[in-house]
Amino acid sequence: MSAAFAPFAALAETLLPHAVEGDDGAHDIAHLLRVFHNAQKIASEEGGDAEVLAAAVLLHDCVSLPKNHPDRAHSSRLAADKAAGLLTTLGWDAAKVEAVAHAILTHSFSANLQPQTLEAKILQDADRLDSLGAIGIARTFYTAARMGSKLYHLGDPQGHARDLDDRAYAIDHFALKLLKLADGFQTASGRRLAADRHQRLSDFRDLFFDEL
């Protein structure tokens, strides 16, 4: 599998054993590979330190608490700390360790932190792309099933007269998070890639309610 992360196959071979926790299919090695490809596309236009970005992608979910965990918002900080310790043990330069840790710390939507470096901005965009489009739809309903959520509120599916709750109803996640993501992309390349995927989300939500 590490070969799929070329030209950083050797780095991937070292870091992948530490890269994911548990059995969450929305945050597995396949997710890391999709984010890596997204990051490569963005970086090909935006630039940045390729090695820092690759390490940040590989380790950005090395601690990933479930969506319904009370400490979910702290996942990225815990992952950043774990990544920094690992890279320091591997002999990485302190400045590069800090760059990787910052990118991981700020990538998360729930952490609500602003990325300050180009690599951090690219990681955030690359990760959020995987929450949009057809993959984003699949991940949403997969995660909802793991949490025991219903598809939608029977009496008020669109939330006209109730508070939206994406822990209880999968479709609520579209309005609460997914359809907001495209407005927060950090790079021009990321925004362009997000536009089509955002439209796919919007179209799916409209079709969903139309069928109801």
Side-chain angles (χ1 to χ4, degrees):
M1 177 55 66
S2 58
F5 291 87
F8 294 99
L11 180 64
E13 185 172 2
T14 299
L15 298 183
L16 281 176
H18 310 277
V20 296
E21 294 183 334
D23 62 350
D24 183 358
H27 296 89
D28 56 5
I29 292 177
H31 166 67
L32 297 183
L33 187 57
R34 292 192 302 270
V35 174
F36 178 74
H37 288 155
N38 292 339
Q40 293 284 91
K41 288 179 186 177
I42 297 170
S44 69
E45 298 183 27
E46 305 288 341
D49 186 314
E51 185 179 41
V52 165
L53 183 58
V57 167
L58 285 160
L59 296 175
H60 78 277
D61 281 337
C62 64
V63 177
S64 183
L65 299 175
K67 293 288 187 184
N68 55 354
H69 193 285
D71 294 327
R72 170 67 183 178
H74 301 298
S75 283
S76 63
R77 184 174 299 279
L78 295 171
D81 290 345
K82 178 179 174 180
L86 174 60
L87 295 176
T88 298
T89 299
L90 293 172
W92 274 49
D93 174 82
K96 284 203 168 190
V97 170
E98 175 57 30
V100 172
H102 172 72
I104 294 172
L105 175 65
T106 59
H107 87 275
S108 170
F109 182 86
S110 56
N112 195 29
L113 297 171
Q114 185 68 20
Q116 301 298 320
T117 65
L118 178 56
E119 295 79 19
K121 292 176 181 179
I122 293 173
L123 175 61
Q124 187 181 100
D125 283 2
D127 186 56
R128 291 187 181 187
L129 279 173
D130 207 48
S131 295
L132 299 177
I135 293 292
I137 293 167
R139 293 177 74 212
T140 294
F141 287 102
Y142 169 87
T143 300
R146 285 174 62 90
M147 295 194 302
S149 304
K150 297 181 183 299
L151 292 179
Y152 59 93
H153 186 284
L154 182 59
D156 185 7
Q158 297 192 52
H160 293 309
R162 65 177 178 85
D163 292 334
L164 297 176
D165 181 359
D166 57 358
R167 294 191 179 189
Y169 309 108
I171 200 65
D172 287 11
H173 194 58
F174 285 66
L176 285 174
K177 177 182 176 181
L178 301 185
L179 291 170
K180 297 177 180 178
L181 290 177
D183 290 335
F185 273 66
Q186 301 290 328
T187 67
S189 303
R191 285 190 292 274
R192 189 184 68 253
L193 292 168
D196 287 342
R197 297 193 188 198
H198 173 85
Q199 190 60 52
R200 293 171 196 170
L201 283 178
S202 181
D203 291 345
F204 174 86
R205 184 174 180 270
D206 290 346
L207 289 168
F208 186 95
F209 290 134
D210 180 67
E211 292 185 11
L212 294 182

